[in-house]
Amino acid sequence: KLEEFNEYIRFRKVAVIGLGVSNMPLLEYLYEKKAQVTVFDERTMDEIPSETINKINTYEFSYSFGKNCLEKLNGFNIIFRSPSCLPTRIELQKEAERGAIVTTEVEMLMEMCPCKIVGVTGSDGKTTTTSLINAILKKAGYKTFLGGNIGTPLFTKLPEMEPNDIVVLELSSFQLMNMHISPDIAVITNITPNHLNIHKDYQEYIDAKKCIFKNQNEKGILILNYDNDITRECAKEANGNVVFFSSKVKLDNGFIVDGNIIKECNDKVRKHILNTDEVILRGNHNFQNIATALAATKTLVDTDIAVQAIKEFKPVEHRIEFVGEINGIKVYNDSKSTNVKATQIALSSFTKPTILLLGGLDRGHSFEGLTTYMNNVKLVVSYGETKHRIKEYCDKINKECIVVDDLENAVNIAFKNALENDVILLSPACASWDQYSDFEERGRKFKEYVTRRMKWVK
Protein backbone atom coordinates (compact mmCIF):
# COMPACT_ATOMS: atom_id res chain seq x y z
CA LYS A 1 0.00 0.00 0.00
CA LEU A 2 2.82 2.39 0.81
CA GLU A 3 4.50 1.75 -2.54
CA GLU A 4 1.21 2.40 -4.32
CA PHE A 5 0.71 5.61 -2.35
CA ASN A 6 4.24 6.81 -3.12
CA GLU A 7 3.65 6.22 -6.80
CA TYR A 8 0.25 7.91 -6.68
CA ILE A 9 1.40 11.16 -5.05
CA ARG A 10 4.30 11.65 -7.47
CA PHE A 11 3.56 15.00 -9.19
CA ARG A 12 0.05 15.05 -7.68
CA LYS A 13 -1.34 18.22 -6.05
CA VAL A 14 -1.18 17.78 -2.28
CA ALA A 15 -2.39 20.26 0.34
CA VAL A 16 -1.03 20.25 3.89
CA ILE A 17 -3.22 22.26 6.27
CA GLY A 18 -1.57 23.31 9.51
CA LEU A 19 2.15 23.45 10.23
CA GLY A 20 1.97 21.78 13.62
CA VAL A 21 3.85 18.81 15.04
CA SER A 22 1.86 16.14 13.18
CA ASN A 23 2.41 17.61 9.71
CA MET A 24 6.02 18.83 9.81
CA PRO A 25 7.72 15.45 9.10
CA LEU A 26 5.18 14.97 6.31
CA LEU A 27 6.61 17.93 4.38
CA GLU A 28 10.02 16.31 3.97
CA TYR A 29 8.40 13.01 2.96
CA LEU A 30 6.22 14.64 0.30
CA TYR A 31 9.20 16.59 -1.02
CA GLU A 32 11.22 13.38 -1.44
CA LYS A 33 8.29 11.76 -3.29
CA LYS A 34 8.07 14.73 -5.66
CA ALA A 35 4.51 15.76 -4.78
CA GLN A 36 3.32 19.23 -5.77
CA VAL A 37 2.71 20.63 -2.30
CA THR A 38 0.89 23.72 -1.07
CA VAL A 39 0.91 24.43 2.65
CA PHE A 40 -1.85 26.31 4.46
CA ASP A 41 -1.80 27.89 7.90
CA GLU A 42 -4.08 30.47 9.52
CA ARG A 43 -1.11 32.17 11.14
CA THR A 44 0.68 34.96 9.31
CA MET A 45 4.21 34.42 8.05
CA ASP A 46 5.56 36.47 10.97
CA GLU A 47 3.83 34.14 13.43
CA ILE A 48 5.27 30.95 11.95
CA PRO A 49 8.73 29.81 13.16
CA SER A 50 11.51 30.92 10.81
CA GLU A 51 12.89 27.37 10.49
CA THR A 52 9.51 26.26 9.13
CA ILE A 53 9.46 29.08 6.58
CA ASN A 54 13.02 28.19 5.58
CA LYS A 55 12.00 24.57 5.00
CA ILE A 56 9.05 25.61 2.83
CA ASN A 57 11.29 27.90 0.77
CA THR A 58 14.01 25.25 0.44
CA TYR A 59 11.45 22.75 -0.87
CA GLU A 60 9.97 25.45 -3.13
CA PHE A 61 6.47 24.65 -1.86
CA SER A 62 3.59 27.01 -2.57
CA TYR A 63 1.87 28.47 0.48
CA SER A 64 -1.18 30.36 1.68
CA PHE A 65 -1.04 31.98 5.12
CA GLY A 66 -3.42 34.06 7.19
CA LYS A 67 -6.97 33.86 8.49
CA ASN A 68 -8.51 33.31 5.06
CA CYS A 69 -5.84 30.94 3.75
CA LEU A 70 -8.32 28.19 2.82
CA GLU A 71 -9.94 30.40 0.20
CA LYS A 72 -7.17 29.11 -2.10
CA LEU A 73 -7.93 25.44 -1.33
CA ASN A 74 -9.01 24.28 -4.76
CA GLY A 75 -8.12 21.50 -7.18
CA PHE A 76 -6.12 19.17 -4.93
CA ASN A 77 -5.85 15.39 -5.17
CA ILE A 78 -5.09 14.80 -1.50
CA ILE A 79 -5.57 17.10 1.50
CA PHE A 80 -3.81 16.38 4.78
CA ARG A 81 -5.69 18.34 7.44
CA SER A 82 -4.30 19.03 10.89
CA PRO A 83 -6.44 17.66 13.77
CA SER A 84 -7.58 21.20 14.64
CA CYS A 85 -8.94 21.75 11.13
CA LEU A 86 -12.19 19.80 11.34
CA PRO A 87 -13.53 18.02 8.23
CA THR A 88 -16.76 20.01 8.65
CA ARG A 89 -15.03 23.14 7.32
CA ILE A 90 -16.93 24.21 4.21
CA GLU A 91 -13.72 24.50 2.18
CA LEU A 92 -12.85 20.85 2.92
CA GLN A 93 -16.35 19.67 2.18
CA LYS A 94 -16.32 21.37 -1.22
CA GLU A 95 -13.01 19.73 -2.14
CA ALA A 96 -14.25 16.33 -0.95
CA GLU A 97 -17.40 16.69 -3.09
CA ARG A 98 -15.17 17.55 -6.04
CA GLY A 99 -13.26 14.29 -5.52
CA ALA A 100 -10.31 15.16 -3.29
CA ILE A 101 -9.17 12.72 -0.61
CA VAL A 102 -9.41 14.53 2.74
CA THR A 103 -7.37 12.74 5.38
CA THR A 104 -4.85 13.14 8.20
CA GLU A 105 -1.33 11.95 8.84
CA VAL A 106 -2.57 9.40 11.40
CA GLU A 107 -5.40 8.08 9.19
CA MET A 108 -3.01 7.45 6.29
CA LEU A 109 -0.66 5.73 8.72
CA MET A 110 -3.45 3.38 9.80
CA GLU A 111 -4.45 2.71 6.19
CA MET A 112 -0.95 1.55 5.27
CA CYS A 113 0.27 0.05 8.53
CA PRO A 114 1.56 -3.53 8.02
CA CYS A 115 1.07 -4.55 11.67
CA LYS A 116 -1.51 -4.63 14.45
CA ILE A 117 -2.76 -1.30 15.81
CA VAL A 118 -3.96 -0.51 19.35
CA GLY A 119 -5.82 2.79 19.59
CA VAL A 120 -6.92 4.65 22.72
CA THR A 121 -9.33 7.56 23.05
CA GLY A 122 -11.39 9.11 25.84
CA SER A 123 -12.10 12.38 27.59
CA ASP A 124 -9.70 11.54 30.43
CA GLY A 125 -6.94 9.04 31.06
CA LYS A 126 -6.00 8.29 27.47
CA THR A 127 -2.36 9.41 27.69
CA THR A 128 -1.58 7.32 30.77
CA THR A 129 -3.50 4.33 29.39
CA THR A 130 -1.74 4.56 26.02
CA SER A 131 1.65 4.80 27.73
CA LEU A 132 0.83 1.83 29.98
CA ILE A 133 -0.18 -0.31 27.00
CA ASN A 134 3.03 0.62 25.21
CA ALA A 135 5.14 -0.21 28.29
CA ILE A 136 3.46 -3.62 28.68
CA LEU A 137 4.00 -4.50 25.02
CA LYS A 138 7.65 -3.44 25.13
CA LYS A 139 8.21 -5.49 28.29
CA ALA A 140 6.85 -8.49 26.41
CA GLY A 141 9.44 -7.98 23.67
CA TYR A 142 7.37 -6.32 20.97
CA LYS A 143 8.85 -3.57 18.84
CA THR A 144 6.33 -0.77 19.27
CA PHE A 145 5.67 2.57 17.60
CA LEU A 146 4.00 5.11 19.90
CA GLY A 147 2.18 7.99 18.20
CA GLY A 148 -1.04 9.76 17.33
CA ASN A 149 -1.67 12.45 19.92
CA ILE A 150 1.42 11.36 21.86
CA GLY A 151 5.02 10.64 20.92
CA THR A 152 6.07 11.46 17.37
CA PRO A 153 4.22 11.47 14.02
CA LEU A 154 4.55 7.94 12.62
CA PHE A 155 3.61 8.19 8.95
CA THR A 156 7.24 8.61 7.92
CA LYS A 157 8.14 5.56 10.08
CA LEU A 158 6.06 3.21 7.92
CA PRO A 159 9.08 1.81 6.02
CA GLU A 160 10.54 0.63 9.36
CA MET A 161 7.44 -1.31 10.46
CA GLU A 162 7.26 -5.10 10.24
CA PRO A 163 4.19 -7.39 10.49
CA ASN A 164 5.05 -8.53 14.02
CA ASP A 165 5.43 -4.99 15.39
CA ILE A 166 2.61 -3.09 17.11
CA VAL A 167 1.56 0.53 16.65
CA VAL A 168 0.07 2.17 19.75
CA LEU A 169 -1.92 5.37 19.17
CA GLU A 170 -3.54 7.95 21.38
CA LEU A 171 -6.38 9.40 19.32
CA SER A 172 -8.26 12.65 19.92
CA SER A 173 -11.79 13.40 18.75
CA PHE A 174 -10.30 15.75 16.15
CA GLN A 175 -8.14 12.97 14.69
CA LEU A 176 -10.97 10.42 14.77
CA MET A 177 -13.64 12.63 13.23
CA ASN A 178 -14.83 11.13 9.90
CA MET A 179 -12.09 8.46 10.06
CA HIS A 180 -13.02 5.41 7.97
CA ILE A 181 -10.58 2.92 9.50
CA SER A 182 -10.39 1.63 13.09
CA PRO A 183 -7.60 0.02 15.15
CA ASP A 184 -7.53 -3.76 15.65
CA ILE A 185 -7.84 -3.15 19.40
CA ALA A 186 -9.81 -0.02 20.32
CA VAL A 187 -10.11 1.52 23.79
CA ILE A 188 -12.49 4.20 25.07
CA THR A 189 -11.58 5.21 28.62
CA ASN A 190 -14.69 7.39 29.10
CA ILE A 191 -16.75 10.05 27.34
CA THR A 192 -17.76 13.27 29.09
CA PRO A 193 -18.39 16.78 27.65
CA ASN A 194 -15.15 18.16 26.22
CA HIS A 195 -13.92 20.45 23.43
CA LEU A 196 -17.45 21.81 22.98
CA ASN A 197 -15.98 25.18 22.06
CA ILE A 198 -14.70 23.52 18.88
CA HIS A 199 -17.19 20.74 18.14
CA LYS A 200 -20.64 21.75 16.92
CA ASP A 201 -22.24 20.01 19.90
CA TYR A 202 -21.79 17.14 22.34
CA GLN A 203 -23.24 14.60 19.91
CA GLU A 204 -20.63 15.48 17.28
CA TYR A 205 -17.93 14.91 19.92
CA ILE A 206 -19.45 11.53 20.89
CA ASP A 207 -19.79 10.45 17.25
CA ALA A 208 -16.14 11.35 16.63
CA LYS A 209 -15.06 9.16 19.55
CA LYS A 210 -17.11 6.25 18.22
CA CYS A 211 -15.09 6.24 15.00
CA ILE A 212 -12.39 4.39 16.94
CA PHE A 213 -14.46 1.18 16.68
CA LYS A 214 -17.12 1.81 14.00
CA ASN A 215 -14.95 0.35 11.23
CA GLN A 216 -13.75 -2.73 13.10
CA ASN A 217 -14.71 -6.16 11.74
CA GLU A 218 -15.77 -9.24 13.70
CA LYS A 219 -12.14 -9.86 14.73
CA GLY A 220 -11.85 -6.46 16.37
CA ILE A 221 -11.58 -5.99 20.12
CA LEU A 222 -13.25 -3.05 21.89
CA ILE A 223 -12.37 -2.13 25.50
CA LEU A 224 -15.08 -0.05 27.21
CA ASN A 225 -15.68 1.64 30.56
CA TYR A 226 -18.72 -0.02 32.13
CA ASP A 227 -19.08 2.83 34.64
CA ASN A 228 -19.65 5.46 31.94
CA ASP A 229 -23.19 5.49 30.52
CA ILE A 230 -22.15 6.48 27.01
CA THR A 231 -19.29 4.02 26.64
CA ARG A 232 -21.35 1.17 28.12
CA GLU A 233 -23.98 1.75 25.42
CA CYS A 234 -21.28 1.67 22.72
CA ALA A 235 -21.18 -2.12 23.15
CA LYS A 236 -24.48 -2.34 21.27
CA GLU A 237 -22.83 -0.86 18.17
CA ALA A 238 -19.65 -2.96 18.27
CA ASN A 239 -18.82 -5.30 15.41
CA GLY A 240 -16.27 -7.39 17.32
CA ASN A 241 -15.60 -8.63 20.84
CA VAL A 242 -16.31 -6.23 23.75
CA VAL A 243 -14.35 -6.29 27.02
CA PHE A 244 -15.50 -4.08 29.91
CA PHE A 245 -13.57 -2.63 32.83
CA SER A 246 -15.07 -1.15 35.98
CA SER A 247 -14.22 0.26 39.40
CA LYS A 248 -17.84 0.28 40.60
CA VAL A 249 -19.37 -3.02 39.47
CA LYS A 250 -18.18 -6.59 40.07
CA LEU A 251 -18.40 -7.72 36.48
CA ASP A 252 -18.90 -11.36 35.52
CA ASN A 253 -16.40 -10.83 32.69
CA GLY A 254 -13.73 -8.18 32.20
CA PHE A 255 -11.36 -6.35 34.53
CA ILE A 256 -12.31 -4.62 37.77
CA VAL A 257 -10.81 -2.47 40.50
CA ASP A 258 -12.14 -4.05 43.70
CA GLY A 259 -10.90 -1.99 46.64
CA ASN A 260 -7.12 -2.11 46.38
CA ILE A 261 -7.11 -5.23 44.17
CA ILE A 262 -7.27 -5.35 40.38
CA LYS A 263 -8.98 -8.53 39.22
CA GLU A 264 -9.70 -10.37 35.99
CA CYS A 265 -13.20 -11.79 35.76
CA ASN A 266 -14.16 -14.84 33.69
CA ASP A 267 -17.64 -16.35 34.03
CA LYS A 268 -18.02 -14.88 37.55
CA VAL A 269 -14.64 -16.26 38.63
CA ARG A 270 -12.56 -13.26 39.79
CA LYS A 271 -8.79 -13.75 39.77
CA HIS A 272 -6.48 -11.50 41.82
CA ILE A 273 -4.06 -9.87 39.36
CA LEU A 274 -2.43 -6.98 41.19
CA ASN A 275 -2.48 -5.11 44.50
CA THR A 276 -2.55 -1.35 43.95
CA ASP A 277 -0.06 -0.87 46.79
CA GLU A 278 2.53 -2.50 44.52
CA VAL A 279 2.40 0.20 41.81
CA ILE A 280 3.85 3.70 41.59
CA LEU A 281 0.70 5.19 40.04
CA ARG A 282 -1.72 6.70 42.55
CA GLY A 283 -5.44 7.32 42.53
CA ASN A 284 -8.50 5.28 41.58
CA HIS A 285 -8.51 6.83 38.10
CA ASN A 286 -5.03 5.38 37.52
CA PHE A 287 -6.11 1.99 38.85
CA GLN A 288 -8.85 2.11 36.22
CA ASN A 289 -6.20 2.95 33.62
CA ILE A 290 -4.24 -0.13 34.72
CA ALA A 291 -7.34 -2.34 34.40
CA THR A 292 -7.92 -0.87 30.95
CA ALA A 293 -4.33 -1.56 29.84
CA LEU A 294 -4.58 -5.14 31.11
CA ALA A 295 -7.77 -5.63 29.11
CA ALA A 296 -6.21 -4.16 25.96
CA THR A 297 -3.09 -6.35 26.11
CA LYS A 298 -4.69 -9.58 27.36
CA THR A 299 -4.57 -11.32 23.96
CA LEU A 300 -1.00 -10.19 23.31
CA VAL A 301 0.94 -10.50 26.57
CA ASP A 302 1.27 -13.01 29.42
CA THR A 303 -0.33 -11.59 32.58
CA ASP A 304 2.83 -11.99 34.70
CA ILE A 305 4.83 -9.90 32.22
CA ALA A 306 2.08 -7.25 32.08
CA VAL A 307 2.03 -7.02 35.90
CA GLN A 308 5.79 -6.56 36.04
CA ALA A 309 5.61 -3.74 33.49
CA ILE A 310 2.82 -2.04 35.46
CA LYS A 311 4.82 -2.22 38.70
CA GLU A 312 7.75 -0.52 36.98
CA PHE A 313 5.65 2.12 35.21
CA LYS A 314 6.15 5.71 36.29
CA PRO A 315 3.44 8.38 35.84
CA VAL A 316 3.37 10.36 32.64
CA GLU A 317 5.07 13.73 33.08
CA HIS A 318 2.78 16.47 34.47
CA ARG A 319 0.01 13.99 35.41
CA ILE A 320 0.17 13.52 39.21
CA GLU A 321 3.89 13.05 38.65
CA PHE A 322 5.94 12.39 41.79
CA VAL A 323 8.65 15.07 41.91
CA GLY A 324 10.41 14.21 45.15
CA GLU A 325 10.31 13.90 48.93
CA ILE A 326 12.19 15.74 51.65
CA ASN A 327 11.64 15.68 55.41
CA GLY A 328 8.57 13.53 54.87
CA ILE A 329 6.98 16.07 52.48
CA LYS A 330 5.98 14.59 49.11
CA VAL A 331 5.63 16.85 46.06
CA TYR A 332 3.51 16.11 42.96
CA ASN A 333 3.31 17.86 39.60
CA ASP A 334 -0.16 17.74 38.05
CA SER A 335 0.25 20.67 35.67
CA LYS A 336 -1.86 18.85 33.06
CA SER A 337 -4.95 19.53 35.21
CA THR A 338 -6.20 22.60 33.37
CA ASN A 339 -9.81 22.33 34.55
CA VAL A 340 -11.74 21.68 37.75
CA LYS A 341 -12.65 18.10 36.86
CA ALA A 342 -9.01 17.12 36.43
CA THR A 343 -8.13 18.69 39.78
CA GLN A 344 -10.97 16.74 41.40
CA ILE A 345 -9.28 13.55 40.22
CA ALA A 346 -5.92 14.67 41.57
CA LEU A 347 -7.33 15.62 44.98
CA SER A 348 -9.15 12.29 45.28
CA SER A 349 -5.79 10.52 44.86
CA PHE A 350 -4.47 11.66 48.27
CA THR A 351 -5.58 11.08 51.85
CA LYS A 352 -2.79 12.98 53.62
CA PRO A 353 -2.89 16.72 54.50
CA THR A 354 -2.41 18.57 51.22
CA ILE A 355 -1.18 22.02 50.27
CA LEU A 356 -2.86 22.76 46.93
CA LEU A 357 -1.40 25.19 44.38
CA LEU A 358 -4.23 26.62 42.27
CA GLY A 359 -4.23 29.26 39.57
CA GLY A 360 -3.53 30.36 36.03
CA LEU A 361 -5.45 31.80 33.10
CA ASP A 362 -8.82 33.29 34.06
CA ARG A 363 -11.48 31.90 31.74
CA GLY A 364 -14.26 32.80 34.13
CA HIS A 365 -14.97 29.22 35.22
CA SER A 366 -16.26 28.38 38.70
CA PHE A 367 -14.21 26.54 41.33
CA GLU A 368 -17.32 25.36 43.21
CA GLY A 369 -16.85 21.83 41.86
CA LEU A 370 -13.77 21.40 44.07
CA THR A 371 -15.60 21.82 47.36
CA THR A 372 -16.41 18.18 48.13
CA TYR A 373 -12.82 17.20 47.24
CA MET A 374 -11.17 19.70 49.60
CA ASN A 375 -11.47 17.75 52.86
CA ASN A 376 -7.76 16.90 53.03
CA VAL A 377 -6.59 20.31 51.79
CA LYS A 378 -5.04 22.20 54.73
CA LEU A 379 -3.96 25.23 52.67
CA VAL A 380 -4.54 26.67 49.20
CA VAL A 381 -1.88 28.84 47.58
CA SER A 382 -3.38 30.82 44.69
CA TYR A 383 -1.41 32.53 41.93
CA GLY A 384 -1.80 33.92 38.41
CA GLU A 385 -4.82 35.67 36.89
CA THR A 386 -7.32 33.69 38.96
CA LYS A 387 -5.59 34.22 42.31
CA HIS A 388 -8.18 36.65 43.76
CA ARG A 389 -11.20 34.66 42.55
CA ILE A 390 -9.71 31.56 44.13
CA LYS A 391 -9.22 33.48 47.39
CA GLU A 392 -12.88 34.55 47.32
CA TYR A 393 -13.92 30.95 46.74
CA CYS A 394 -11.73 29.68 49.61
CA ASP A 395 -13.13 32.33 51.95
CA LYS A 396 -16.63 31.16 51.04
CA ILE A 397 -15.88 27.56 52.03
CA ASN A 398 -13.72 28.54 55.06
CA LYS A 399 -10.50 27.20 53.58
CA GLU A 400 -7.25 29.05 54.28
CA CYS A 401 -5.74 30.62 51.16
CA ILE A 402 -2.53 32.58 50.66
CA VAL A 403 -2.36 34.75 47.53
CA VAL A 404 0.90 35.21 45.60
CA ASP A 405 1.73 36.55 42.15
CA ASP A 406 3.42 33.60 40.50
CA LEU A 407 4.14 29.88 40.72
CA GLU A 408 7.66 30.24 42.07
CA ASN A 409 6.38 32.20 45.08
CA ALA A 410 3.59 29.64 45.48
CA VAL A 411 6.19 26.87 45.80
CA ASN A 412 8.12 28.85 48.42
CA ILE A 413 4.97 29.49 50.49
CA ALA A 414 3.98 25.82 50.22
CA PHE A 415 7.32 24.64 51.62
CA LYS A 416 7.21 27.19 54.43
CA ASN A 417 3.85 25.79 55.55
CA ALA A 418 4.45 22.08 54.91
CA LEU A 419 5.02 19.56 57.71
CA GLU A 420 6.14 15.93 57.75
CA ASN A 421 3.60 13.63 56.01
CA ASP A 422 2.11 16.56 54.07
CA VAL A 423 1.61 16.57 50.31
CA ILE A 424 2.39 19.58 48.10
CA LEU A 425 0.29 19.31 44.97
CA LEU A 426 0.34 21.52 41.88
CA SER A 427 -3.04 20.87 40.27
CA PRO A 428 -3.99 24.33 38.95
CA ALA A 429 -7.54 23.77 37.61
CA CYS A 430 -6.64 26.51 35.09
CA ALA A 431 -4.88 26.80 31.76
CA SER A 432 -1.28 28.03 31.87
CA TRP A 433 -1.32 30.73 29.21
CA ASP A 434 -1.32 33.71 31.56
CA GLN A 435 2.32 33.03 32.50
CA TYR A 436 3.51 30.01 30.46
CA SER A 437 3.35 28.84 26.86
CA ASP A 438 1.65 25.55 27.82
CA PHE A 439 1.07 23.18 30.74
CA GLU A 440 4.34 21.39 29.97
CA GLU A 441 6.42 24.53 30.46
CA ARG A 442 4.49 25.23 33.66
CA GLY A 443 5.18 21.71 34.92
CA ARG A 444 8.89 21.88 34.08
CA LYS A 445 9.22 25.24 35.83
CA PHE A 446 7.37 23.87 38.87
CA LYS A 447 9.83 20.99 39.12
CA GLU A 448 12.71 23.42 38.74
CA TYR A 449 11.35 25.59 41.58
CA VAL A 450 10.76 22.53 43.77
CA THR A 451 14.26 21.15 43.19
CA ARG A 452 15.77 24.51 44.05
CA ARG A 453 13.64 24.82 47.18
CA MET A 454 14.53 21.29 48.29
CA LYS A 455 18.21 22.23 48.20
CA TRP A 456 17.45 25.17 50.47
CA VAL A 457 15.57 22.92 52.89
CA LYS A 458 18.52 20.55 53.05
Side-chain angles (χ1 to χ4, degrees):
K1 287 185 178 179
L2 183 60
E3 290 176 0
E4 291 175 359
F5 174 77
N6 290 342
E7 185 60 32
Y8 173 78
I9 64 169
R10 186 178 173 87
F11 305 126
R12 286 294 203 287
K13 292 185 67 177
V14 179
V16 176
I17 301 174
L19 295 171
V21 174
S22 62
N23 280 340
M24 287 309 297
L26 191 61
L27 298 184
E28 182 176 353
Y29 187 89
L30 293 171
Y31 172 73
E32 291 175 353
K33 304 307 176 188
K34 294 183 169 52
Q36 294 183 17
V37 177
T38 302
V39 295
F40 297 80
D41 198 292
E42 290 188 339
R43 292 173 293 178
T44 64
M45 185 176 289
D46 292 339
E47 294 171 324
I48 298 171
S50 58
E51 58 268 25
T52 301
I53 298 297
N54 291 338
K55 179 177 285 191
I56 292 169
N57 290 332
T58 299
Y59 294 160
E60 298 182 341
F61 288 165
S62 300
Y63 57 82
S64 178
F65 297 146
K67 185 177 180 180
N68 300 317
C69 65
L70 293 188
E71 289 179 355
K72 298 181 180 179
L73 188 71
N74 182 51
F76 288 92
N77 301 106
I78 298 181
I79 299 169
F80 285 91
R81 67 174 182 88
S82 65
S84 61
C85 182
L86 299 189
T88 50
R89 289 283 296 262
I90 187 66
E91 298 91 344
L92 292 178
Q93 290 181 338
K94 285 181 177 179
E95 279 292 272
E97 290 169 2
R98 192 192 50 75
I101 299 169
V102 179
T103 187
T104 63
E105 175 266 343
V106 72
E107 183 175 29
M108 291 302 286
L109 160 74
M110 293 170 68
E111 286 278 6
M112 300 178 197
C113 182
C115 58
K116 193 177 291 292
I117 300 173
V118 181
V120 180
T121 195
S123 302
D124 299 291
K126 57 183 178 291
T127 299
T128 297
T129 301
T130 306
S131 301
L132 268 168
I133 290 169
N134 188 61
I136 291 169
L137 294 172
K138 290 182 73 173
K139 187 73 175 179
Y142 287 100
K143 181 181 178 182
T144 65
F145 293 84
L146 179 65
N149 209 36
I150 187 175
T152 58
L154 296 180
F155 182 82
T156 57
K157 302 289 185 183
L158 276 167
E160 303 173 27
M161 296 178 187
E162 299 289 342
N164 291 327
D165 300 337
I166 300 180
V167 169
V168 185
L169 300 173
E170 177 189 315
L171 297 167
S172 69
S173 60
F174 308 133
Q175 291 167 316
L176 286 166
M177 198 171 176
N178 282 20
M179 189 178 281
H180 59 276
I181 185 170
S182 296
D184 302 279
I185 300 174
V187 176
I188 308 181
T189 60
N190 50 53
I191 297 178
T192 57
N194 207 351
H195 300 304
L196 300 188
N197 59 325
I198 299 175
H199 283 289
K200 178 179 67 176
D201 52 33
Y202 189 25
Q203 190 59 51
E204 181 180 271
Y205 174 71
I206 294 170
D207 291 341
K209 292 292 190 186
K210 287 182 178 181
C211 287
I212 200 168
F213 70 86
K214 280 287 194 174
N215 296 289
Q216 284 185 325
N217 57 30
E218 67 280 359
K219 295 179 181 179
I221 298 173
L222 175 59
I223 315 299
L224 293 172
N225 185 347
Y226 191 87
D227 303 337
N228 181 271
D229 292 342
I230 295 172
T231 55
R232 185 171 62 250
E233 289 297 307
C234 286
K236 297 176 182 178
E237 303 176 51
N239 299 316
N241 183 41
V242 174
V243 181
F244 283 113
F245 66 91
S246 175
S247 65
K248 296 180 180 178
V249 179
K250 292 185 178 181
L251 302 171
D252 293 339
N253 294 282
F255 287 80
I256 63 172
V257 182
D258 186 6
N260 65 335
I261 306 295
I262 296 173
K263 299 177 180 179
E264 180 181 355
C265 311
N266 288 300
D267 296 326
K268 299 184 181 181
V269 176
R270 299 182 181 96
K271 178 183 177 183
H272 178 139
I273 299 295
L274 181 64
N275 191 310
T276 57
D277 292 337
E278 301 175 81
V279 303
I280 301 170
L281 290 172
R282 294 289 88 203
N284 188 64
H285 65 293
N286 273 326
F287 304 150
Q288 289 182 58
N289 293 336
I290 290 170
T292 311
L294 284 167
T297 56
K298 176 177 168 54
T299 60
L300 302 169
V301 177
D302 182 81
T303 301
D304 291 340
I305 295 175
V307 167
Q308 190 58 43
I310 291 165
K311 288 180 178 179
E312 296 170 359
F313 184 84
K314 295 180 180 179
V316 177
E317 190 177 18
H318 313 303
R319 292 163 176 82
I320 318 184
E321 173 195 7
F322 179 61
V323 178
E325 178 178 357
I326 188 166
N327 297 340
I329 303 164
K330 293 184 177 180
V331 185
Y332 292 85
N333 164 32
D334 191 43
S335 181
K336 179 64 169 67
S337 286
T338 58
N339 56 57
V340 166
K341 183 180 177 183
T343 299
Q344 291 174 351
I345 293 170
L347 288 173
S348 65
S349 302
F350 299 98
T351 57
K352 293 183 177 180
T354 301
I355 297 176
L356 175 63
L357 278 57
L358 276 179
L361 183 73
D362 193 347
R363 292 190 285 196
H365 62 287
S366 170
F367 296 94
E368 296 291 337
L370 294 176
T371 304
T372 56
Y373 296 83
M374 298 280 275
N375 292 337
N376 296 316
V377 175
K378 60 181 271 187
L379 171 67
V380 173
V381 185
S382 65
Y383 71 95
E385 282 186 2
T386 52
K387 59 189 178 186
H388 295 302
R389 284 211 303 114
I390 292 169
K391 178 65 165 66
E392 291 172 4
Y393 161 69
C394 289
D395 289 345
K396 184 178 177 181
I397 63 170
N398 296 316
K399 188 69 64 175
E400 184 181 358
C401 177
I402 297 176
V403 178
V404 297
D405 288 332
D406 54 43
L407 184 54
E408 184 173 12
N409 281 318
V411 169
N412 293 337
I413 291 295
F415 270 100
K416 286 179 181 178
N417 288 273
L419 302 173
E420 185 178 359
N421 291 321
D422 282 357
V423 167
I424 295 175
L425 171 65
L426 169 68
S427 189
C430 300
S432 58
W433 302 317
D434 60 331
Q435 296 179 337
Y436 301 99
S437 60
D438 51 37
F439 73 85
E440 284 129 331
E441 184 191 9
R442 176 170 63 187
R444 288 192 297 269
K445 285 294 185 181
F446 173 71
K447 291 190 286 185
E448 178 185 314
Y449 304 148
V450 167
T451 302
R452 188 185 309 156
R453 184 71 198 188
M454 280 181 166
K455 291 177 180 177
W456 296 347
V457 174
K458 288 179 182 179

